Amino acid sequence: MDEVPGSRFKNIFKKLFGSNGHPLEEHILEAEEEGELEKDEVSMLLNILDLDEKEVSEIMVPRTDMVCAENHSSVEDVARIIFSLGAHSRIPLFEETKDRIIGQVHAKDLLEPLLRGMGAAPASSYMRPPYFVPEDMSLDMVLSRFKKNKIHMAIVQDEYGGTAGLVTMEDVLEEIVGEIADEYDEERPDEFVVNKDGSLTVSGRVTLEDLCEKCALELESEEVDSIGGYLAAMAGRIPHAGECFMIDNMKFTVLEADERQIWSIRLEQAPESQTPAE
């Protein structure tokens, strides 16, 4: 049986440092203080050790934000979804409802039929079997499954067998190394930008502490650290661009968001006629 990354690193550290009663995290932080490890290396090592404590439900793309295609969609239909929506290169196919995922189509498998003028052919003819994982599976186990089965995307199922969301290899790796950007990703805004109309554009990753200090707000949460996470917690999901939230005497408008997080938000003084959110 394959050994999962988190367990493997823990075993290595135990052999190196022995059983002296100190948590492995302390050894890593001590190595940083002594200059033996860089800050980025420390962050990745700590993230690896945390993989077995995080569940796939914490990082998955929720069902409501999944980009899918119906089983009767044509090759051209699915190709258009991938191109126009900037979706993952793998698209799940479902029958009647997202609870019945029957397969997944890889973008590169559509190239041949498109080049042959077979865009009207059913995309299901080129689909691959789906792979399922439970929503309470730990991230180290998910990563191990991806590696063992040579797959890059899995459908996440809830306790009743319904579709809770999906997770990709990139989602898991980003929990270790941080956001993975490519040449197609748009440049993200600075943390704080003052607009000409006096409003403020902030990154969704700005911490509540920094935002409160800059804008004289009082926002607290025991579950999230960023303003993007705070608004998502208020909505119970990842809000879409254009959604607004009233907090105290401020209006928060989501400017940019994807299926996983809020990227930018506009803050402005709320009109007197609008009631602040509780």
Side-chain angles (χ1 to χ4, degrees):
M1 182 176 179
D2 289 348
E3 189 172 29
V4 293
S7 301
R8 178 172 175 269
F9 273 90
K10 286 183 179 179
N11 290 335
I12 292 175
F13 272 93
K14 285 180 179 178
K15 290 180 180 179
L16 289 175
F17 296 107
S19 302
N20 56 10
H22 295 288
L24 297 179
E25 290 80 2
E26 287 188 13
H27 291 298
I28 296 174
L29 294 176
E30 287 176 3
E32 179 185 21
E33 291 178 358
E34 296 172 1
E36 297 177 2
L37 290 174
E38 298 293 335
K39 184 176 181 179
D40 289 344
E41 295 172 331
V42 170
S43 177
M44 284 190 288
L45 287 172
L46 293 177
N47 288 339
I48 290 173
L49 295 180
D50 285 342
L51 285 182
D52 62 346
E53 298 179 3
K54 292 184 178 181
E55 296 182 351
V56 67
S57 59
E58 298 179 51
I59 70 165
M60 70 181 183
V61 176
R63 171 196 173 105
T64 53
D65 295 326
M66 285 174 55
V67 177
C68 302
E70 296 187 57
N71 62 315
H72 55 69
S73 299
S74 68
V75 167
E76 186 175 347
D77 290 335
V78 175
R80 185 175 291 109
I81 290 174
I82 295 174
F83 175 77
S84 63
L85 298 183
H88 291 294
S89 58
R90 296 165 178 82
I91 301 295
L93 293 185
F94 67 91
E95 184 177 0
E96 296 183 359
T97 170
K98 289 182 180 180
D99 284 325
R100 299 181 62 182
I101 302 294
I102 62 172
Q104 58 175 302
V105 178
H106 196 297
K108 70 179 183 181
D109 292 335
L110 304 179
L111 290 177
E112 183 178 355
L114 285 173
L115 291 174
R116 292 186 175 184
M118 300 169 59
S124 57
S125 299
Y126 301 91
M127 71 179 182
R128 305 180 185 191
Y131 189 81
F132 299 95
V133 297
E135 61 182 347
D136 60 353
M137 179 176 284
S138 62
L139 295 189
D140 60 346
M141 184 58 69
V142 172
L143 186 58
S144 178
R145 294 284 182 88
F146 279 157
K147 178 183 176 182
K148 180 179 180 180
N149 294 282
K150 299 180 180 179
I151 56 176
H152 289 257
M153 185 180 78
I155 304 301
V156 183
Q157 292 184 313
D158 59 28
E159 58 182 318
Y160 303 106
T163 298
L166 68 79
V167 64
T168 67
M169 174 76 82
E170 182 176 327
D171 293 332
V172 180
L173 293 180
E174 286 185 339
E175 289 299 304
I176 300 175
V177 302
E179 182 192 356
I180 301 174
D182 59 29
E183 65 272 25
Y184 297 105
D185 290 335
E186 296 181 2
E187 185 176 351
R188 301 302 178 183
D190 295 332
E191 289 195 345
F192 294 96
V193 176
V194 179
N195 303 314
K196 293 182 179 179
D197 61 1
S199 64
L200 188 68
T201 298
V202 302
S203 165
R205 292 190 171 184
V206 167
T207 65
L208 294 177
E209 182 180 357
D210 289 346
L211 183 64
C212 290
E213 181 178 346
K214 188 173 185 65
C215 301
L217 294 171
E218 295 184 4
L219 305 178
E220 295 183 358
S221 174
E222 296 181 355
E223 299 181 353
V224 298
D225 297 321
S226 67
I227 181 58
Y230 189 86
L231 297 184
M234 285 183 63
R237 56 179 173 77
I238 304 298
H240 300 291
E243 292 192 53
C244 301
F245 300 83
M246 306 301 299
I247 305 176
D248 294 334
N249 63 337
M250 298 293 292
K251 179 180 180 181
F252 292 68
T253 303
V254 177
L255 298 179
E256 183 185 7
D258 58 24
E259 67 273 11
R260 290 194 59 196
Q261 61 187 298
I262 297 174
W263 285 106
S264 60
I265 306 158
R266 183 173 66 245
L267 276 68
E268 56 192 327
Q269 197 73 28
E272 294 183 2
S273 60
Q274 295 186 358
T275 303
E278 294 293 336

